Coordinates of all heavy atoms in Angstrom, one line a residue:
A56 N 245.3 -76.8 131.6 CA 245.2 -78.2 132.1 C 243.8 -78.8 131.8 O 242.8 -78.0 131.8 CB 245.5 -78.3 133.6
G57 N 243.8 -80.1 131.6 CA 242.5 -80.8 131.4 C 242.8 -82.3 131.4 O 244.0 -82.7 131.4
N58 N 241.8 -83.1 131.4 CA 242.0 -84.5 131.4 C 241.4 -85.1 130.1 O 240.3 -84.6 129.6 CB 241.2 -85.2 132.6 CG 241.8 -84.8 133.9 OD1 242.9 -85.1 134.2 ND2 241.0 -84.0 134.7
S61 N 240.0 -83.0 127.0 CA 240.2 -81.7 127.5 C 241.7 -81.4 127.6 O 242.1 -80.2 127.4 CB 239.5 -81.4 128.8 OG 238.1 -81.5 128.7
L122 N 245.8 -69.2 134.6 CA 245.6 -70.6 134.6 C 244.2 -70.9 134.0 O 243.2 -70.5 134.6 CB 245.7 -71.2 136.1 CG 245.3 -72.6 136.3 CD1 246.2 -73.6 135.6 CD2 245.2 -72.9 137.8
I123 N 244.2 -71.7 132.9 CA 242.9 -72.0 132.3 C 242.7 -73.5 132.5 O 243.6 -74.3 132.1 CB 242.8 -71.6 130.9 CG1 241.4 -71.9 130.3 CG2 243.9 -72.2 130.0 CD1 241.1 -71.2 129.0
L124 N 241.6 -73.9 133.0 CA 241.2 -75.3 133.3 C 240.1 -75.7 132.5 O 239.0 -75.1 132.5 CB 241.0 -75.4 134.8 CG 242.1 -75.0 135.7 CD1 241.6 -75.0 137.2 CD2 243.3 -75.8 135.6
L125 N 240.2 -76.8 131.7 CA 239.2 -77.3 130.8 C 238.6 -78.6 131.3 O 239.3 -79.5 131.6 CB 239.7 -77.5 129.4 CG 240.2 -76.3 128.7 CD1 241.7 -75.9 129.0 CD2 240.1 -76.5 127.2
S126 N 237.3 -78.6 131.4 CA 236.6 -79.8 132.0 C 235.2 -79.9 131.5 O 234.5 -78.9 131.6 CB 236.6 -79.8 133.5 OG 235.9 -80.9 134.0
T127 N 234.8 -81.0 130.9 CA 233.5 -81.1 130.4 C 232.5 -81.3 131.6 O 231.4 -80.8 131.5 CB 233.3 -82.3 129.5 OG1 233.7 -83.5 130.1 CG2 234.1 -82.1 128.2
S128 N 232.9 -81.9 132.6 CA 232.1 -82.1 133.8 C 232.2 -81.0 134.8 O 231.2 -80.7 135.5 CB 232.4 -83.4 134.5 OG 233.7 -83.3 135.1
G129 N 233.3 -80.4 134.9 CA 233.6 -79.4 135.9 C 233.7 -79.9 137.3 O 233.6 -79.2 138.3
A130 N 234.0 -81.2 137.4 CA 234.0 -81.9 138.7 C 235.3 -82.7 138.9 O 235.4 -83.4 139.9 CB 232.8 -82.8 138.8
S131 N 236.3 -82.6 138.1 CA 237.5 -83.4 138.2 C 238.3 -82.9 139.5 O 238.7 -81.8 139.5 CB 238.4 -83.3 137.0 OG 237.7 -83.7 135.8
P132 N 238.6 -83.8 140.4 CA 239.3 -83.4 141.6 C 240.7 -82.8 141.3 O 241.1 -81.8 142.0 CB 239.5 -84.7 142.4 CG 238.3 -85.6 141.9 CD 238.1 -85.2 140.5
N133 N 241.4 -83.3 140.3 CA 242.7 -82.7 140.1 C 242.7 -81.3 139.6 O 243.6 -80.5 139.8 CB 243.6 -83.6 139.2 CG 243.0 -83.9 137.8 OD1 242.0 -83.3 137.4 ND2 243.6 -84.9 137.1
L134 N 241.6 -81.0 138.8 CA 241.4 -79.6 138.4 C 240.9 -78.7 139.5 O 241.3 -77.5 139.6 CB 240.5 -79.5 137.2 CG 240.9 -80.3 135.9 CD1 239.9 -80.2 134.9 CD2 242.2 -79.7 135.4
L135 N 240.1 -79.2 140.4 CA 239.7 -78.4 141.6 C 241.0 -78.1 142.4 O 241.1 -77.0 142.9 CB 238.7 -79.1 142.4 CG 237.3 -79.3 141.7 CD1 236.4 -80.3 142.4 CD2 236.6 -78.0 141.5
S136 N 241.8 -79.0 142.6 CA 243.1 -78.8 143.3 C 244.0 -77.8 142.6 O 244.6 -76.9 143.3 CB 243.8 -80.1 143.5 OG 243.1 -81.0 144.3
A137 N 244.0 -77.9 141.3 CA 244.8 -76.9 140.5 C 244.2 -75.5 140.7 O 245.0 -74.5 140.8 CB 244.8 -77.3 139.0
A138 N 242.9 -75.4 140.7 CA 242.3 -74.0 140.9 C 242.7 -73.5 142.2 O 243.1 -72.3 142.3 CB 240.8 -74.1 140.8
A139 N 242.7 -74.3 143.3 CA 243.1 -73.8 144.6 C 244.6 -73.4 144.6 O 244.9 -72.3 145.1 CB 242.9 -74.9 145.6
H142 N 244.9 -70.0 142.9 CA 244.6 -68.9 143.8 C 245.7 -68.6 144.8 O 246.0 -67.4 145.1 CB 243.3 -69.2 144.6 CG 242.1 -69.2 143.7 ND1 241.7 -68.2 142.9 CD2 241.1 -70.1 143.5 CE1 240.6 -68.5 142.2 NE2 240.2 -69.7 142.6
V148 N 242.4 -67.5 137.5 CA 241.9 -68.8 137.3 C 240.6 -68.8 136.4 O 239.6 -68.2 136.8 CB 241.6 -69.6 138.6 CG1 241.1 -71.0 138.3 CG2 242.8 -69.7 139.4
W149 N 240.7 -69.3 135.2 CA 239.6 -69.4 134.3 C 239.2 -70.8 134.1 O 240.0 -71.7 134.0 CB 240.0 -68.8 132.9 CG 240.4 -67.4 132.9 CD1 240.3 -66.5 133.9 CD2 241.1 -66.7 131.8 NE1 240.9 -65.3 133.6 CE2 241.3 -65.3 132.3 CE3 241.4 -67.0 130.5 CZ2 241.9 -64.4 131.4 CZ3 242.0 -66.1 129.7 CH2 242.3 -64.8 130.2
A150 N 237.9 -71.0 134.0 CA 237.3 -72.4 133.8 C 236.5 -72.4 132.5 O 235.6 -71.6 132.3 CB 236.4 -72.8 135.0
L151 N 236.8 -73.4 131.7 CA 236.1 -73.7 130.4 C 235.5 -75.0 130.7 O 236.1 -76.1 130.7 CB 237.1 -73.7 129.3 CG 236.5 -73.7 127.8 CD1 235.6 -72.6 127.6 CD2 237.7 -73.7 126.8
T152 N 234.2 -75.0 130.9 CA 233.5 -76.3 131.3 C 232.3 -76.6 130.5 O 231.9 -75.8 129.6 CB 233.0 -76.2 132.8 OG1 231.9 -75.3 132.9 CG2 234.2 -75.6 133.7
G153 N 231.6 -77.7 130.9 CA 230.3 -78.0 130.4 C 229.2 -77.2 131.2 O 229.5 -76.2 131.8
P154 N 228.0 -77.7 131.2 CA 226.9 -77.0 131.8 C 227.1 -76.6 133.2 O 227.7 -77.3 134.0 CB 225.7 -78.0 131.7 CG 226.1 -78.9 130.5 CD 227.6 -79.0 130.6
A155 N 226.7 -75.4 133.5 CA 226.7 -74.9 134.9 C 225.3 -75.2 135.6 O 224.3 -75.4 134.9 CB 226.9 -73.4 134.9
P156 N 225.3 -75.3 136.9 CA 226.5 -75.1 137.8 C 227.3 -76.3 137.9 O 226.9 -77.4 137.7 CB 225.8 -74.8 139.2 CG 224.5 -75.6 139.1 CD 224.1 -75.5 137.7
N157 N 228.6 -76.1 138.3 CA 229.5 -77.2 138.5 C 230.6 -76.7 139.5 O 230.8 -75.5 139.6 CB 230.1 -77.8 137.2 CG 230.9 -76.7 136.4 OD1 232.0 -76.4 136.9 ND2 230.4 -76.3 135.3
P158 N 231.3 -77.6 140.1 CA 232.2 -77.2 141.2 C 233.4 -76.4 140.7 O 233.8 -75.5 141.4 CB 232.7 -78.6 141.7 CG 231.6 -79.5 141.4 CD 231.0 -79.1 140.1
L159 N 233.9 -76.7 139.5 CA 235.0 -75.9 139.0 C 234.6 -74.5 138.7 O 235.4 -73.5 139.0 CB 235.6 -76.6 137.7 CG 236.9 -76.0 137.1 CD1 238.0 -75.9 138.2 CD2 237.3 -76.7 135.9
A160 N 233.5 -74.3 138.1 CA 233.0 -72.9 137.8 C 232.9 -72.2 139.1 O 233.1 -71.0 139.1 CB 231.7 -73.0 137.0
A161 N 232.4 -72.8 140.1 CA 232.2 -72.2 141.4 C 233.4 -71.6 142.1 O 233.4 -70.7 142.8 CB 231.5 -73.1 142.4
V162 N 234.6 -72.2 141.8 CA 235.8 -71.8 142.4 C 236.8 -71.1 141.5 O 237.9 -70.8 141.9 CB 236.6 -73.1 143.0 CG1 235.7 -73.7 144.1 CG2 237.0 -74.0 142.0
S163 N 236.3 -70.7 140.3 CA 237.2 -70.0 139.4 C 236.8 -68.5 139.3 O 235.7 -68.1 139.7 CB 237.0 -70.6 138.0 OG 237.4 -71.9 138.0
D164 N 237.8 -67.7 138.9 CA 237.6 -66.3 138.8 C 236.7 -65.9 137.7 O 235.8 -65.0 137.8 CB 238.9 -65.5 138.6 CG 239.9 -65.7 139.8 OD1 239.4 -65.6 141.0 OD2 241.1 -66.0 139.6
E165 N 236.8 -66.6 136.6 CA 236.0 -66.4 135.4 C 235.6 -67.7 134.8 O 236.4 -68.7 134.9 CB 236.7 -65.5 134.4 CG 237.0 -64.1 134.9 CD 237.4 -63.1 133.8 OE1 236.8 -63.2 132.7 OE2 238.4 -62.4 134.1
T166 N 234.4 -67.8 134.2 CA 234.0 -69.0 133.6 C 233.4 -68.9 132.2 O 232.8 -67.8 131.9 CB 232.9 -69.7 134.5 OG1 231.8 -68.8 134.6 CG2 233.5 -69.9 135.9
L167 N 233.5 -69.9 131.5 CA 232.7 -70.0 130.2 C 232.2 -71.5 130.2 O 232.9 -72.4 130.0 CB 233.7 -69.8 129.0 CG 233.0 -69.6 127.6 CD1 234.0 -69.0 126.6 CD2 232.4 -70.9 127.1
C168 N 230.9 -71.5 130.5 CA 230.2 -72.8 130.7 C 229.3 -73.1 129.5 O 228.3 -72.4 129.3 CB 229.4 -72.8 132.0 SG 230.3 -72.5 133.5
H181 N 234.3 -76.2 123.0 CA 235.6 -75.7 123.7 C 236.6 -75.4 122.6 O 237.4 -74.4 122.8 CB 236.1 -76.8 124.6 CG 235.4 -76.8 125.9 ND1 235.7 -77.7 127.0 CD2 234.3 -76.1 126.4 CE1 234.9 -77.5 128.0 NE2 234.0 -76.5 127.7

Side-chain angles (χ1 to χ4, degrees):
N58 296 295
S61 295
L122 170 65
I123 185 165
L124 303 171
L125 295 85
S126 173
T127 57
S128 69
S131 301
N133 58 12
L134 296 178
L135 294 171
S136 295
H142 292 307
V148 180
W149 299 349
L151 189 56
T152 76
N157 64 70
L159 184 58
V162 299
S163 297
D164 297 315
E165 298 191 41
T166 62
L167 195 163
C168 301
H181 281 182

